Amino acid sequence: MSTLFISDIHLCAQRPDMTAALVHFLEHDAVGADALYVLGDLFEFWIGDDDPNPLHQTIADAFLALSQQNVPIYFIHGNRDFLLGQQYAKRAGMTLLGDPCIIELYGERVVLSHGDLLCTLDEGYQKFRRITQLKWLRWLFLRLPLPRRQAIAHKMRGQSQMENAYKSQSIMDVTPAAVDAMLRSHDCRMMIHGHTHRPAIHDFTLDGQPARRIVLGDWFEQGSVLICRPGEQRLEQRPLPQADMASQG
C-alpha cells in the first residue's frame, strides 16, 4: 500500500537518461501503487498536444501501460508544461487536476501544488504566470503554426534562464506566508509540491498544530520519488542510467 509523487523531470530529447529512468520507474517501481501523482514540469516545455515529438508518444505509452494495470495517474500542470491538454492526458491515461488540489491521503487532508504559486517574492514571474493563465491567449498560441510555437518556446526558455541567473535563491523559493495561507484556506496540515528543486521534508507549527511541507526533487542528476504509506512519508532517490546505455534503450 503506497501512493507515489514525482515532479520536475523536465523530459527532453537531449536527456535520454532521464527518459529511460522515468520509463523504468513506471514499468517497475510504480506497478501496484495505489496512485501516482505527477506534480508538474514532466516535460521541459510543451507547445501543444499536436506536437509530433516521438518522446511524447514514448512517455504516453509508458503512462498508459501503467494506468491499464489499475494504477490511477493524476497530473498537475507545471510552469513548463501548463499547455498540456486533455487530448494528451487521454493518450497517457492521466487525469488532470487543478492547482492547488486537495486529496485524502490515508485519512489525512493534503494540499497538492506544483509550487510556483508559492514563490510570491518573484513578482516578475507571478505577473508572467497570470498572463499565461489567460484562456484567450492560450487559444491564440495553440492555433499558431507549430514551427512558430517552437520558436516562441525556445526564445522564452532562453529569456527565463537569463533572468533566473540574476535572481537570488530566496526569491525563487516559496515564502512561508504563502505556504501558511494555502494550508489554512484548505484546512490542511500537510502540503506536497515541487518546482523549487529543493527536495526536503519540513516540519513546523501552524496555528499551534504540527504541519508538514514536502518538497519533491528534480530528475537532473537522480530520480526523486515521494513514497507515502499510512502514517509515513519518505523521499527516495533513483539512479539515472548511464548516458550510453540510455541512448541504446
Side-chain angles (χ1 to χ4, degrees):
M1 177 182 290
S2 63
T3 299
L4 309 177
F5 298 83
I6 60 175
S7 73
D8 299 284
I9 298 92
H10 292 264
L11 295 171
C12 60
Q14 293 74 28
R15 289 293 305 271
D17 54 335
M18 295 194 302
T19 299
L22 178 62
V23 170
H24 183 274
F25 168 78
L26 297 174
E27 292 178 344
H28 300 277
D29 298 2
V31 174
D34 294 330
L36 170 64
Y37 289 85
V38 184
L39 303 190
D41 284 0
L42 173 61
F43 295 96
E44 175 67 10
F45 66 95
W46 193 265
I47 59 174
D49 292 4
D50 59 335
D51 185 350
N53 189 332
L55 169 64
H56 299 169
Q57 190 58 51
T58 297
I59 297 304
D61 290 344
F63 274 111
L64 182 61
L66 179 63
S67 71
Q68 291 174 340
Q69 297 183 69
N70 298 316
V71 178
I73 304 170
Y74 302 97
F75 180 83
I76 288 179
H77 293 97
N79 55 293
R80 299 298 188 111
D81 47 22
F82 59 87
L83 288 173
L84 190 148
Q86 289 288 354
Q87 179 182 345
Y88 186 79
K90 184 177 180 180
R91 284 165 52 193
M94 301 189 302
T95 299
L96 300 182
L97 302 176
D99 187 354
C101 174
I102 311 304
I103 66 169
E104 191 81 12
L105 184 63
Y106 305 122
E108 183 167 4
R109 282 173 57 85
V110 178
V111 57
L112 307 179
S113 175
H114 173 57
D116 54 335
L117 275 170
L118 303 167
C119 302
T120 55
L121 292 180
D122 193 345
E123 297 179 356
Y125 170 75
Q126 293 300 330
K127 180 179 179 179
F128 169 78
R129 190 183 190 281
R130 288 191 293 271
I131 293 173
T132 62
Q133 299 301 308
L134 296 173
K135 291 183 178 180
W136 66 266
L137 188 60
R138 293 187 178 199
W139 183 91
L140 182 62
F141 177 81
L142 291 173
R143 278 152 184 79
L144 293 173
L146 191 62
R148 179 59 176 159
R149 279 181 269 157
Q150 290 172 330
I152 293 174
H154 180 75
K155 181 178 180 180
M156 291 177 64
R157 289 202 314 276
Q159 291 177 339
S160 176
Q161 291 172 352
M162 290 182 59
E163 291 171 359
N164 289 341
Y166 292 97
K167 292 178 182 177
S168 70
Q169 292 299 310
S170 60
I171 286 179
M172 293 190 291
D173 201 358
V174 304
T175 57
V179 171
D180 293 353
M182 184 175 287
L183 287 169
R184 287 194 187 101
S185 64
H186 297 289
D187 192 25
C188 295
R189 290 297 178 269
M190 183 182 296
M191 172 186 294
I192 302 173
H193 72 82
H195 180 65
T196 63
H197 301 196
R198 304 178 186 187
I201 297 179
H202 302 275
D203 291 314
F204 57 102
T205 301
L206 178 65
D207 301 330
Q209 298 182 18
R212 173 167 285 191
R213 177 172 67 92
I214 304 176
V215 188
L216 306 177
D218 60 56
W219 286 52
F220 294 152
E221 298 180 359
Q222 68 278 312
S224 178
V225 183
L226 172 65
I227 302 175
C228 292
R229 298 186 175 94
E232 177 189 12
Q233 302 89 40
R234 186 173 72 253
L235 278 170
E236 291 189 356
Q237 294 181 349
R238 295 290 189 275
L240 298 185
Q242 295 297 319
D244 55 345
M245 294 177 60
S247 63
Q248 293 173 12

